[in-house]
Amino acid sequence: MGFRLKLVPSDTRIDFFRWQKLTFGLSALMMIASVIVLFVNGLNFGIDFRGGTTIRTEATQPVDVAAYRAALSGMDLGDVSITQVFDPGFRADQHVAQVRISAQDGVESVSPETIRAIEAALQQVDPSITFPSVESVGPKVSGELIRTAIYAVLAALVAISIYIWLRFEWQFSVGAIVSLVHDVLITMGVFALFQIRFDLATVAALLTIVGYSINDTVVVFDRLRENLMKYKKRALREVMNLSVNETLSRTVMTSGTTLLALIALLVLGGDVIRGFVFAITFGILIGTYSSIYVAKNFVLWLGVKRNWNKDDPETQEGRKKRVKSPFEGAEEV
């Protein structure tokens, strides 16, 4: 007999509505807190959205942020941000920093001459310093990228709502959209709270979260629709609990295996993709939570139309109408 790994027993009977008010209130509180943090702190836009130039430095000597700043202080560069980059994958003699120069009024980006002057000034501080990459984005381009990113997320939400509406009923569509807005808003709130860099890669991560979350929600909704047709006499809450329990093993296995790869990337992938990987990792966790505790709570609150055209196998009428198989009760030869 082959070995089958089961992280969740096949006959779970968890009451997911036991703490319904607590989970629903927690979700509402997190969404409100995310909106407040977004307005108060704002997002830490990367160079893609802010415009300007980012110079990545690498040296064998430890980074001296104060010395770097002093070397650039007399160059009239405007807003300059210097941050040291830490990563467990770096060598012992590998010290990395980012020099971020915001775009100035009337200037698309820092000129090549200015970049060479910046590099020369930093090499006066540390002769071993090198410059692996230089990225420049103009203010006009960054503004267009912000609008395009917003349109992309909104278009994804609209397309998904139409798909859910056509495949199920409008109550399911409302529950799915509220769940997706919940996931995206709270993820952005976490980015604003911890001032994690928000760039185009993060937008791609948000779209990935939307797709992953809706996939998980559709699986639960699909099983719920089947059970609503099978168990017409059961209460809606009971059928929902049954549906989530029946798909719980699939949810845990899918999310768990995905998280294994993401955690490896989060630890070993380096600082360049850390924001992207963190967004997807957090999004999968919050998306799994919302599929179970947010989407179906809205469906329960709105109610759904029950299909009474199919007999319930657990009722006396359903048992009477069952057709007995000619092989039922036969002895094995």
mmCIF file with all atom_site columns, all heavy atoms in Angstrom, residues 49-75:
data_model
loop_
_atom_site.group_PDB
_atom_site.id
_atom_site.type_symbol
_atom_site.label_atom_id
_atom_site.label_alt_id
_atom_site.label_comp_id
_atom_site.label_asym_id
_atom_site.label_entity_id
_atom_site.label_seq_id
_atom_site.pdbx_PDB_ins_code
_atom_site.Cartn_x
_atom_site.Cartn_y
_atom_site.Cartn_z
_atom_site.occupancy
_atom_site.B_iso_or_equiv
_atom_site.pdbx_formal_charge
_atom_site.auth_seq_id
_atom_site.auth_comp_id
_atom_site.auth_asym_id
_atom_site.auth_atom_id
_atom_site.pdbx_PDB_model_num
ATOM 1   N N   . PHE A 1 49 ? 7.943  54.386 -8.941  1.00 0.00 ? 49 PHE A N   1
ATOM 2   C CA  . PHE A 1 49 ? 6.794  55.264 -8.758  1.00 0.00 ? 49 PHE A CA  1
ATOM 3   C C   . PHE A 1 49 ? 7.175  56.682 -8.344  1.00 0.00 ? 49 PHE A C   1
ATOM 4   O O   . PHE A 1 49 ? 6.410  57.616 -8.545  1.00 0.00 ? 49 PHE A O   1
ATOM 5   C CB  . PHE A 1 49 ? 5.840  54.670 -7.713  1.00 0.00 ? 49 PHE A CB  1
ATOM 6   C CG  . PHE A 1 49 ? 5.211  53.379 -8.137  1.00 0.00 ? 49 PHE A CG  1
ATOM 7   C CD1 . PHE A 1 49 ? 5.093  52.327 -7.253  1.00 0.00 ? 49 PHE A CD1 1
ATOM 8   C CD2 . PHE A 1 49 ? 4.736  53.215 -9.424  1.00 0.00 ? 49 PHE A CD2 1
ATOM 9   C CE1 . PHE A 1 49 ? 4.505  51.141 -7.643  1.00 0.00 ? 49 PHE A CE1 1
ATOM 10  C CE2 . PHE A 1 49 ? 4.150  52.026 -9.829  1.00 0.00 ? 49 PHE A CE2 1
ATOM 11  C CZ  . PHE A 1 49 ? 4.035  50.987 -8.932  1.00 0.00 ? 49 PHE A CZ  1
ATOM 12  N N   . ARG A 1 50 ? 8.316  56.849 -7.727  1.00 0.00 ? 50 ARG A N   1
ATOM 13  C CA  . ARG A 1 50 ? 8.709  58.183 -7.270  1.00 0.00 ? 50 ARG A CA  1
ATOM 14  C C   . ARG A 1 50 ? 9.474  58.956 -8.334  1.00 0.00 ? 50 ARG A C   1
ATOM 15  O O   . ARG A 1 50 ? 9.422  60.182 -8.381  1.00 0.00 ? 50 ARG A O   1
ATOM 16  C CB  . ARG A 1 50 ? 9.588  58.064 -6.013  1.00 0.00 ? 50 ARG A CB  1
ATOM 17  C CG  . ARG A 1 50 ? 8.857  57.550 -4.795  1.00 0.00 ? 50 ARG A CG  1
ATOM 18  C CD  . ARG A 1 50 ? 9.782  57.418 -3.613  1.00 0.00 ? 50 ARG A CD  1
ATOM 19  N NE  . ARG A 1 50 ? 10.375 58.697 -3.234  1.00 0.00 ? 50 ARG A NE  1
ATOM 20  C CZ  . ARG A 1 50 ? 11.260 58.841 -2.266  1.00 0.00 ? 50 ARG A CZ  1
ATOM 21  N NH1 . ARG A 1 50 ? 11.661 57.785 -1.590  1.00 0.00 ? 50 ARG A NH1 1
ATOM 22  N NH2 . ARG A 1 50 ? 11.746 60.018 -1.976  1.00 0.00 ? 50 ARG A NH2 1
ATOM 23  N N   . GLY A 1 51 ? 10.151 58.254 -9.182  1.00 0.00 ? 51 GLY A N   1
ATOM 24  C CA  . GLY A 1 51 ? 11.004 58.910 -10.151 1.00 0.00 ? 51 GLY A CA  1
ATOM 25  C C   . GLY A 1 51 ? 12.335 59.287 -9.515  1.00 0.00 ? 51 GLY A C   1
ATOM 26  O O   . GLY A 1 51 ? 12.412 59.570 -8.316  1.00 0.00 ? 51 GLY A O   1
ATOM 27  N N   . GLY A 1 52 ? 13.385 59.290 -10.289 1.00 0.00 ? 52 GLY A N   1
ATOM 28  C CA  . GLY A 1 52 ? 14.704 59.623 -9.768  1.00 0.00 ? 52 GLY A CA  1
ATOM 29  C C   . GLY A 1 52 ? 15.718 58.568 -10.164 1.00 0.00 ? 52 GLY A C   1
ATOM 30  O O   . GLY A 1 52 ? 15.535 57.834 -11.137 1.00 0.00 ? 52 GLY A O   1
ATOM 31  N N   . THR A 1 53 ? 16.784 58.475 -9.389  1.00 0.00 ? 53 THR A N   1
ATOM 32  C CA  . THR A 1 53 ? 17.878 57.564 -9.710  1.00 0.00 ? 53 THR A CA  1
ATOM 33  C C   . THR A 1 53 ? 18.296 56.802 -8.453  1.00 0.00 ? 53 THR A C   1
ATOM 34  O O   . THR A 1 53 ? 18.412 57.383 -7.372  1.00 0.00 ? 53 THR A O   1
ATOM 35  C CB  . THR A 1 53 ? 19.091 58.332 -10.270 1.00 0.00 ? 53 THR A CB  1
ATOM 36  O OG1 . THR A 1 53 ? 18.692 59.021 -11.460 1.00 0.00 ? 53 THR A OG1 1
ATOM 37  C CG2 . THR A 1 53 ? 20.248 57.392 -10.588 1.00 0.00 ? 53 THR A CG2 1
ATOM 38  N N   . THR A 1 54 ? 18.496 55.514 -8.611  1.00 0.00 ? 54 THR A N   1
ATOM 39  C CA  . THR A 1 54 ? 18.992 54.674 -7.517  1.00 0.00 ? 54 THR A CA  1
ATOM 40  C C   . THR A 1 54 ? 20.326 54.072 -7.927  1.00 0.00 ? 54 THR A C   1
ATOM 41  O O   . THR A 1 54 ? 20.425 53.420 -8.981  1.00 0.00 ? 54 THR A O   1
ATOM 42  C CB  . THR A 1 54 ? 17.998 53.547 -7.182  1.00 0.00 ? 54 THR A CB  1
ATOM 43  O OG1 . THR A 1 54 ? 16.789 54.122 -6.700  1.00 0.00 ? 54 THR A OG1 1
ATOM 44  C CG2 . THR A 1 54 ? 18.570 52.634 -6.109  1.00 0.00 ? 54 THR A CG2 1
ATOM 45  N N   . ILE A 1 55 ? 21.345 54.308 -7.116  1.00 0.00 ? 55 ILE A N   1
ATOM 46  C CA  . ILE A 1 55 ? 22.682 53.763 -7.361  1.00 0.00 ? 55 ILE A CA  1
ATOM 47  C C   . ILE A 1 55 ? 22.963 52.718 -6.287  1.00 0.00 ? 55 ILE A C   1
ATOM 48  O O   . ILE A 1 55 ? 22.921 53.015 -5.089  1.00 0.00 ? 55 ILE A O   1
ATOM 49  C CB  . ILE A 1 55 ? 23.755 54.868 -7.314  1.00 0.00 ? 55 ILE A CB  1
ATOM 50  C CG1 . ILE A 1 55 ? 23.443 55.962 -8.346  1.00 0.00 ? 55 ILE A CG1 1
ATOM 51  C CG2 . ILE A 1 55 ? 25.142 54.290 -7.559  1.00 0.00 ? 55 ILE A CG2 1
ATOM 52  C CD1 . ILE A 1 55 ? 24.378 57.160 -8.264  1.00 0.00 ? 55 ILE A CD1 1
ATOM 53  N N   . ARG A 1 56 ? 23.242 51.522 -6.715  1.00 0.00 ? 56 ARG A N   1
ATOM 54  C CA  . ARG A 1 56 ? 23.555 50.429 -5.781  1.00 0.00 ? 56 ARG A CA  1
ATOM 55  C C   . ARG A 1 56 ? 25.067 50.325 -5.658  1.00 0.00 ? 56 ARG A C   1
ATOM 56  O O   . ARG A 1 56 ? 25.773 50.222 -6.672  1.00 0.00 ? 56 ARG A O   1
ATOM 57  C CB  . ARG A 1 56 ? 22.966 49.118 -6.293  1.00 0.00 ? 56 ARG A CB  1
ATOM 58  C CG  . ARG A 1 56 ? 23.134 47.927 -5.345  1.00 0.00 ? 56 ARG A CG  1
ATOM 59  C CD  . ARG A 1 56 ? 22.531 46.686 -5.995  1.00 0.00 ? 56 ARG A CD  1
ATOM 60  N NE  . ARG A 1 56 ? 22.717 45.497 -5.180  1.00 0.00 ? 56 ARG A NE  1
ATOM 61  C CZ  . ARG A 1 56 ? 21.863 45.061 -4.274  1.00 0.00 ? 56 ARG A CZ  1
ATOM 62  N NH1 . ARG A 1 56 ? 20.743 45.740 -4.066  1.00 0.00 ? 56 ARG A NH1 1
ATOM 63  N NH2 . ARG A 1 56 ? 22.092 43.954 -3.582  1.00 0.00 ? 56 ARG A NH2 1
ATOM 64  N N   . THR A 1 57 ? 25.560 50.368 -4.425  1.00 0.00 ? 57 THR A N   1
ATOM 65  C CA  . THR A 1 57 ? 27.005 50.294 -4.192  1.00 0.00 ? 57 THR A CA  1
ATOM 66  C C   . THR A 1 57 ? 27.359 48.980 -3.504  1.00 0.00 ? 57 THR A C   1
ATOM 67  O O   . THR A 1 57 ? 26.536 48.388 -2.799  1.00 0.00 ? 57 THR A O   1
ATOM 68  C CB  . THR A 1 57 ? 27.476 51.464 -3.307  1.00 0.00 ? 57 THR A CB  1
ATOM 69  O OG1 . THR A 1 57 ? 26.991 51.278 -1.966  1.00 0.00 ? 57 THR A OG1 1
ATOM 70  C CG2 . THR A 1 57 ? 26.965 52.791 -3.849  1.00 0.00 ? 57 THR A CG2 1
ATOM 71  N N   . GLU A 1 58 ? 28.584 48.565 -3.721  1.00 0.00 ? 58 GLU A N   1
ATOM 72  C CA  . GLU A 1 58 ? 29.089 47.350 -3.083  1.00 0.00 ? 58 GLU A CA  1
ATOM 73  C C   . GLU A 1 58 ? 30.555 47.553 -2.750  1.00 0.00 ? 58 GLU A C   1
ATOM 74  O O   . GLU A 1 58 ? 31.328 48.050 -3.583  1.00 0.00 ? 58 GLU A O   1
ATOM 75  C CB  . GLU A 1 58 ? 28.905 46.153 -4.014  1.00 0.00 ? 58 GLU A CB  1
ATOM 76  C CG  . GLU A 1 58 ? 29.242 44.814 -3.362  1.00 0.00 ? 58 GLU A CG  1
ATOM 77  C CD  . GLU A 1 58 ? 28.883 43.633 -4.252  1.00 0.00 ? 58 GLU A CD  1
ATOM 78  O OE1 . GLU A 1 58 ? 27.844 43.718 -4.940  1.00 0.00 ? 58 GLU A OE1 1
ATOM 79  O OE2 . GLU A 1 58 ? 29.636 42.643 -4.251  1.00 0.00 ? 58 GLU A OE2 1
ATOM 80  N N   . ALA A 1 59 ? 30.955 47.197 -1.526  1.00 0.00 ? 59 ALA A N   1
ATOM 81  C CA  . ALA A 1 59 ? 32.330 47.431 -1.079  1.00 0.00 ? 59 ALA A CA  1
ATOM 82  C C   . ALA A 1 59 ? 32.748 46.323 -0.126  1.00 0.00 ? 59 ALA A C   1
ATOM 83  O O   . ALA A 1 59 ? 31.917 45.600 0.440   1.00 0.00 ? 59 ALA A O   1
ATOM 84  C CB  . ALA A 1 59 ? 32.451 48.790 -0.398  1.00 0.00 ? 59 ALA A CB  1
ATOM 85  N N   . THR A 1 60 ? 34.071 46.209 0.043   1.00 0.00 ? 60 THR A N   1
ATOM 86  C CA  . THR A 1 60 ? 34.602 45.222 0.989   1.00 0.00 ? 60 THR A CA  1
ATOM 87  C C   . THR A 1 60 ? 34.683 45.794 2.393   1.00 0.00 ? 60 THR A C   1
ATOM 88  O O   . THR A 1 60 ? 34.790 45.043 3.367   1.00 0.00 ? 60 THR A O   1
ATOM 89  C CB  . THR A 1 60 ? 35.998 44.769 0.536   1.00 0.00 ? 60 THR A CB  1
ATOM 90  O OG1 . THR A 1 60 ? 36.851 45.914 0.419   1.00 0.00 ? 60 THR A OG1 1
ATOM 91  C CG2 . THR A 1 60 ? 35.920 44.058 -0.814  1.00 0.00 ? 60 THR A CG2 1
ATOM 92  N N   . GLN A 1 61 ? 34.644 47.115 2.515   1.00 0.00 ? 61 GLN A N   1
ATOM 93  C CA  . GLN A 1 61 ? 34.668 47.763 3.823   1.00 0.00 ? 61 GLN A CA  1
ATOM 94  C C   . GLN A 1 61 ? 33.233 48.023 4.297   1.00 0.00 ? 61 GLN A C   1
ATOM 95  O O   . GLN A 1 61 ? 32.323 48.193 3.484   1.00 0.00 ? 61 GLN A O   1
ATOM 96  C CB  . GLN A 1 61 ? 35.437 49.091 3.744   1.00 0.00 ? 61 GLN A CB  1
ATOM 97  C CG  . GLN A 1 61 ? 36.875 48.959 3.292   1.00 0.00 ? 61 GLN A CG  1
ATOM 98  C CD  . GLN A 1 61 ? 37.688 48.127 4.264   1.00 0.00 ? 61 GLN A CD  1
ATOM 99  O OE1 . GLN A 1 61 ? 37.522 48.209 5.482   1.00 0.00 ? 61 GLN A OE1 1
ATOM 100 N NE2 . GLN A 1 61 ? 38.585 47.288 3.725   1.00 0.00 ? 61 GLN A NE2 1
ATOM 101 N N   . PRO A 1 62 ? 32.998 48.064 5.619   1.00 0.00 ? 62 PRO A N   1
ATOM 102 C CA  . PRO A 1 62 ? 31.650 48.349 6.126   1.00 0.00 ? 62 PRO A CA  1
ATOM 103 C C   . PRO A 1 62 ? 31.130 49.694 5.623   1.00 0.00 ? 62 PRO A C   1
ATOM 104 O O   . PRO A 1 62 ? 31.901 50.643 5.422   1.00 0.00 ? 62 PRO A O   1
ATOM 105 C CB  . PRO A 1 62 ? 31.849 48.364 7.649   1.00 0.00 ? 62 PRO A CB  1
ATOM 106 C CG  . PRO A 1 62 ? 33.061 47.517 7.887   1.00 0.00 ? 62 PRO A CG  1
ATOM 107 C CD  . PRO A 1 62 ? 33.954 47.756 6.699   1.00 0.00 ? 62 PRO A CD  1
ATOM 108 N N   . VAL A 1 63 ? 29.830 49.761 5.416   1.00 0.00 ? 63 VAL A N   1
ATOM 109 C CA  . VAL A 1 63 ? 29.205 50.973 4.904   1.00 0.00 ? 63 VAL A CA  1
ATOM 110 C C   . VAL A 1 63 ? 29.171 52.029 6.006   1.00 0.00 ? 63 VAL A C   1
ATOM 111 O O   . VAL A 1 63 ? 28.720 51.771 7.124   1.00 0.00 ? 63 VAL A O   1
ATOM 112 C CB  . VAL A 1 63 ? 27.775 50.677 4.409   1.00 0.00 ? 63 VAL A CB  1
ATOM 113 C CG1 . VAL A 1 63 ? 27.075 51.967 3.997   1.00 0.00 ? 63 VAL A CG1 1
ATOM 114 C CG2 . VAL A 1 63 ? 27.817 49.690 3.251   1.00 0.00 ? 63 VAL A CG2 1
ATOM 115 N N   . ASP A 1 64 ? 29.649 53.230 5.694   1.00 0.00 ? 64 ASP A N   1
ATOM 116 C CA  . ASP A 1 64 ? 29.586 54.367 6.613   1.00 0.00 ? 64 ASP A CA  1
ATOM 117 C C   . ASP A 1 64 ? 28.608 55.380 6.015   1.00 0.00 ? 64 ASP A C   1
ATOM 118 O O   . ASP A 1 64 ? 28.975 56.206 5.179   1.00 0.00 ? 64 ASP A O   1
ATOM 119 C CB  . ASP A 1 64 ? 30.979 54.986 6.782   1.00 0.00 ? 64 ASP A CB  1
ATOM 120 C CG  . ASP A 1 64 ? 31.009 56.029 7.897   1.00 0.00 ? 64 ASP A CG  1
ATOM 121 O OD1 . ASP A 1 64 ? 29.926 56.521 8.271   1.00 0.00 ? 64 ASP A OD1 1
ATOM 122 O OD2 . ASP A 1 64 ? 32.119 56.356 8.371   1.00 0.00 ? 64 ASP A OD2 1
ATOM 123 N N   . VAL A 1 65 ? 27.346 55.283 6.447   1.00 0.00 ? 65 VAL A N   1
ATOM 124 C CA  . VAL A 1 65 ? 26.302 56.119 5.863   1.00 0.00 ? 65 VAL A CA  1
ATOM 125 C C   . VAL A 1 65 ? 26.613 57.596 6.056   1.00 0.00 ? 65 VAL A C   1
ATOM 126 O O   . VAL A 1 65 ? 26.418 58.418 5.144   1.00 0.00 ? 65 VAL A O   1
ATOM 127 C CB  . VAL A 1 65 ? 24.931 55.762 6.471   1.00 0.00 ? 65 VAL A CB  1
ATOM 128 C CG1 . VAL A 1 65 ? 23.850 56.712 5.962   1.00 0.00 ? 65 VAL A CG1 1
ATOM 129 C CG2 . VAL A 1 65 ? 24.561 54.312 6.144   1.00 0.00 ? 65 VAL A CG2 1
ATOM 130 N N   . ALA A 1 66 ? 27.119 57.955 7.234   1.00 0.00 ? 66 ALA A N   1
ATOM 131 C CA  . ALA A 1 66 ? 27.433 59.370 7.506   1.00 0.00 ? 66 ALA A CA  1
ATOM 132 C C   . ALA A 1 66 ? 28.521 59.882 6.563   1.00 0.00 ? 66 ALA A C   1
ATOM 133 O O   . ALA A 1 66 ? 28.438 61.006 6.053   1.00 0.00 ? 66 ALA A O   1
ATOM 134 C CB  . ALA A 1 66 ? 27.869 59.532 8.962   1.00 0.00 ? 66 ALA A CB  1
ATOM 135 N N   . ALA A 1 67 ? 29.550 59.070 6.304   1.00 0.00 ? 67 ALA A N   1
ATOM 136 C CA  . ALA A 1 67 ? 30.631 59.485 5.402   1.00 0.00 ? 67 ALA A CA  1
ATOM 137 C C   . ALA A 1 67 ? 30.120 59.594 3.967   1.00 0.00 ? 67 ALA A C   1
ATOM 138 O O   . ALA A 1 67 ? 30.500 60.521 3.231   1.00 0.00 ? 67 ALA A O   1
ATOM 139 C CB  . ALA A 1 67 ? 31.785 58.485 5.480   1.00 0.00 ? 67 ALA A CB  1
ATOM 140 N N   . TYR A 1 68 ? 29.247 58.663 3.565   1.00 0.00 ? 68 TYR A N   1
ATOM 141 C CA  . TYR A 1 68 ? 28.661 58.727 2.221   1.00 0.00 ? 68 TYR A CA  1
ATOM 142 C C   . TYR A 1 68 ? 27.865 60.026 2.069   1.00 0.00 ? 68 TYR A C   1
ATOM 143 O O   . TYR A 1 68 ? 27.971 60.726 1.061   1.00 0.00 ? 68 TYR A O   1
ATOM 144 C CB  . TYR A 1 68 ? 27.732 57.536 1.971   1.00 0.00 ? 68 TYR A CB  1
ATOM 145 C CG  . TYR A 1 68 ? 28.425 56.220 1.703   1.00 0.00 ? 68 TYR A CG  1
ATOM 146 C CD1 . TYR A 1 68 ? 29.778 56.049 1.954   1.00 0.00 ? 68 TYR A CD1 1
ATOM 147 C CD2 . TYR A 1 68 ? 27.719 55.132 1.202   1.00 0.00 ? 68 TYR A CD2 1
ATOM 148 C CE1 . TYR A 1 68 ? 30.404 54.835 1.720   1.00 0.00 ? 68 TYR A CE1 1
ATOM 149 C CE2 . TYR A 1 68 ? 28.321 53.916 0.964   1.00 0.00 ? 68 TYR A CE2 1
ATOM 150 C CZ  . TYR A 1 68 ? 29.666 53.773 1.231   1.00 0.00 ? 68 TYR A CZ  1
ATOM 151 O OH  . TYR A 1 68 ? 30.284 52.573 0.994   1.00 0.00 ? 68 TYR A OH  1
ATOM 152 N N   . ARG A 1 69 ? 27.060 60.343 3.093   1.00 0.00 ? 69 ARG A N   1
ATOM 153 C CA  . ARG A 1 69 ? 26.218 61.531 3.023   1.00 0.00 ? 69 ARG A CA  1
ATOM 154 C C   . ARG A 1 69 ? 27.071 62.802 2.999   1.00 0.00 ? 69 ARG A C   1
ATOM 155 O O   . ARG A 1 69 ? 26.765 63.766 2.268   1.00 0.00 ? 69 ARG A O   1
ATOM 156 C CB  . ARG A 1 69 ? 25.250 61.555 4.208   1.00 0.00 ? 69 ARG A CB  1
ATOM 157 C CG  . ARG A 1 69 ? 24.159 62.630 4.099   1.00 0.00 ? 69 ARG A CG  1
ATOM 158 C CD  . ARG A 1 69 ? 23.221 62.565 5.290   1.00 0.00 ? 69 ARG A CD  1
ATOM 159 N NE  . ARG A 1 69 ? 22.605 61.263 5.386   1.00 0.00 ? 69 ARG A NE  1
ATOM 160 C CZ  . ARG A 1 69 ? 21.530 60.895 4.683   1.00 0.00 ? 69 ARG A CZ  1
ATOM 161 N NH1 . ARG A 1 69 ? 21.002 61.743 3.804   1.00 0.00 ? 69 ARG A NH1 1
ATOM 162 N NH2 . ARG A 1 69 ? 20.999 59.705 4.829   1.00 0.00 ? 69 ARG A NH2 1
ATOM 163 N N   . ALA A 1 70 ? 28.132 62.814 3.779   1.00 0.00 ? 70 ALA A N   1
ATOM 164 C CA  . ALA A 1 70 ? 29.010 63.987 3.799   1.00 0.00 ? 70 ALA A CA  1
ATOM 165 C C   . ALA A 1 70 ? 29.695 64.196 2.451   1.00 0.00 ? 70 ALA A C   1
ATOM 166 O O   . ALA A 1 70 ? 29.879 65.335 2.003   1.00 0.00 ? 70 ALA A O   1
ATOM 167 C CB  . ALA A 1 70 ? 30.056 63.834 4.904   1.00 0.00 ? 70 ALA A CB  1
ATOM 168 N N   . ALA A 1 71 ? 30.038 63.115 1.784   1.00 0.00 ? 71 ALA A N   1
ATOM 169 C CA  . ALA A 1 71 ? 30.700 63.228 0.487   1.00 0.00 ? 71 ALA A CA  1
ATOM 170 C C   . ALA A 1 71 ? 29.771 63.803 -0.579  1.00 0.00 ? 71 ALA A C   1
ATOM 171 O O   . ALA A 1 71 ? 30.232 64.443 -1.533  1.00 0.00 ? 71 ALA A O   1
ATOM 172 C CB  . ALA A 1 71 ? 31.211 61.855 0.047   1.00 0.00 ? 71 ALA A CB  1
ATOM 173 N N   . LEU A 1 72 ? 28.457 63.590 -0.422  1.00 0.00 ? 72 LEU A N   1
ATOM 174 C CA  . LEU A 1 72 ? 27.491 64.067 -1.418  1.00 0.00 ? 72 LEU A CA  1
ATOM 175 C C   . LEU A 1 72 ? 26.798 65.355 -1.013  1.00 0.00 ? 72 LEU A C   1
ATOM 176 O O   . LEU A 1 72 ? 26.006 65.898 -1.792  1.00 0.00 ? 72 LEU A O   1
ATOM 177 C CB  . LEU A 1 72 ? 26.421 62.982 -1.657  1.00 0.00 ? 72 LEU A CB  1
ATOM 178 C CG  . LEU A 1 72 ? 26.918 61.602 -2.095  1.00 0.00 ? 72 LEU A CG  1
ATOM 179 C CD1 . LEU A 1 72 ? 25.745 60.640 -2.241  1.00 0.00 ? 72 LEU A CD1 1
ATOM 180 C CD2 . LEU A 1 72 ? 27.689 61.689 -3.405  1.00 0.00 ? 72 LEU A CD2 1
ATOM 181 N N   . SER A 1 73 ? 27.098 65.860 0.179   1.00 0.00 ? 73 SER A N   1
ATOM 182 C CA  . SER A 1 73 ? 26.348 67.001 0.708   1.00 0.00 ? 73 SER A CA  1
ATOM 183 C C   . SER A 1 73 ? 26.532 68.282 -0.106  1.00 0.00 ? 73 SER A C   1
ATOM 184 O O   . SER A 1 73 ? 25.622 69.102 -0.193  1.00 0.00 ? 73 SER A O   1
ATOM 185 C CB  . SER A 1 73 ? 26.757 67.256 2.171   1.00 0.00 ? 73 SER A CB  1
ATOM 186 O OG  . SER A 1 73 ? 28.140 67.543 2.249   1.00 0.00 ? 73 SER A OG  1
ATOM 187 N N   . GLY A 1 74 ? 27.682 68.474 -0.720  1.00 0.00 ? 74 GLY A N   1
ATOM 188 C CA  . GLY A 1 74 ? 27.930 69.720 -1.439  1.00 0.00 ? 74 GLY A CA  1
ATOM 189 C C   . GLY A 1 74 ? 27.621 69.667 -2.917  1.00 0.00 ? 74 GLY A C   1
ATOM 190 O O   . GLY A 1 74 ? 28.024 70.578 -3.660  1.00 0.00 ? 74 GLY A O   1
ATOM 191 N N   . MET A 1 75 ? 26.904 68.651 -3.371  1.00 0.00 ? 75 MET A N   1
ATOM 192 C CA  . MET A 1 75 ? 26.668 68.487 -4.807  1.00 0.00 ? 75 MET A CA  1
ATOM 193 C C   . MET A 1 75 ? 25.289 68.976 -5.246  1.00 0.00 ? 75 MET A C   1
ATOM 194 O O   . MET A 1 75 ? 24.942 68.850 -6.427  1.00 0.00 ? 75 MET A O   1
ATOM 195 C CB  . MET A 1 75 ? 26.841 67.006 -5.200  1.00 0.00 ? 75 MET A CB  1
ATOM 196 C CG  . MET A 1 75 ? 28.226 66.463 -4.884  1.00 0.00 ? 75 MET A CG  1
ATOM 197 S SD  . MET A 1 75 ? 28.458 64.756 -5.409  1.00 0.00 ? 75 MET A SD  1
ATOM 198 C CE  . MET A 1 75 ? 28.343 64.937 -7.179  1.00 0.00 ? 75 MET A CE  1
#
